[in-house]
Amino acid sequence: MALPRPHRFDVYIAVGGLLGGLLLVGLGLSTRPATDPVTLFDGPWPVLVPLTVLAGCELLRRAAPRTALLIGTAALCADVVTQGSLVTVLMFTDVIYAAVLYGPLASARRIQWITGLLTVAGTLVPFAVWRVPEALLIGVVVGVVAYGPAATGWIVRNHRDAAEAARLRAEQTALLAEMDRAQAVTAERARMARELHDMVANHLSAIAIHSTAALSIDDPATSREALSVIRENSVDGLAEMRRLIGILRDGDEDPVAVPTLDGLAALVDGARANGLDVTLDADHDGKVPAPVELAAYRIVQESLTNALKHACPGRVTVGLHRRDGVLDVRVTSPYGHRDGPRAPGSGAGLTGMRERAALLGGTFRAGPQGTVWAVHATLPVPEGESE
């Protein structure tokens, strides 16, 4: 199995430690004299073995921290029976630090406990055996060499993990904010598309149908009447477009200009002027919330526009009733083959009506029922929320 590739910074540490240790050996500096009882191998050459091994462990401090710690511990034990090198001890403390910082979480916890217990044992056992205060220094040395680096690595690891968690939370927050922004933009685009379609399609459909009639019927009176209807719808369509452009440019919508259910009579009168035979049956006692009013108005408006474009000659009925916390909107028109002029449709109207009902938690159905085309929408009107 190939050994893991060491990090560049680890290579610098290993080379620097090895060169520093060789410098101390060359100067004859060691941690113990040759006459010390624990020194089994005196002279400079035995010191080089644990020094070189620890330098090799430094290469693995990040790539394989547990392996480096096990080998480094054995090398430190070998250094104890030589005259010793301060650089070897320093590199061992760095190996412990790296094992806690870069190793698995379970190993980091175990190293903390083991080094802590060794520090306590190194303090109490020698003092209990020799009964001299100087024996306590053994525990101090063990704490500095083993527990101190482990505790430092644990603190740094906690700060690093906390910083990483904060970074991830920031990224998630930014991602959620971007998703919310994209959804808001999409919803606003859909809303403006519905408004544009509902406000302008009715007038443009009437213009298209009456212009076709004026071109196909060679009768001055009929052409004059058609041109009059075309002019009226053109003016109304331009007014609606100006209102929508004002909303987009300024961001403020004039509450007076927002359609309400009180304007259904005028809407039906406009449909009659465009050639539809329309009857209105409205029963909605009391006020309803503004979003429900706007949705109901637009659904009726789009239904009349579709009837103008596609319905056969006959009676178109508009019903509006409020009962049991629901505003019921129903529009029916004759369904079948149409001989006269008709305007093309894209299906966007039905989609817009369905979206308006869904946004309010209501239902929407549209389709043929025998000889009529029926549009039926139910819009919830919670009690106590009317305006």
Side-chain angles (χ1 to χ4, degrees), residues 65-113:
R66 289 187 295 181
T67 302
L69 179 59
L70 292 175
I71 298 175
T73 302
L76 182 68
C77 294
D79 183 74
V80 172
V81 298
T82 68
Q83 288 187 253
S85 173
L86 181 61
V87 175
T88 301
V89 177
L90 290 177
M91 286 194 292
F92 178 75
T93 61
D94 181 69
V95 168
I96 291 182
Y97 168 83
V100 175
L101 181 60
Y102 302 115
L105 182 60
S107 296
R109 289 198 179 101
R110 282 196 296 269
I111 293 170
Q112 278 261 93
W113 279 100

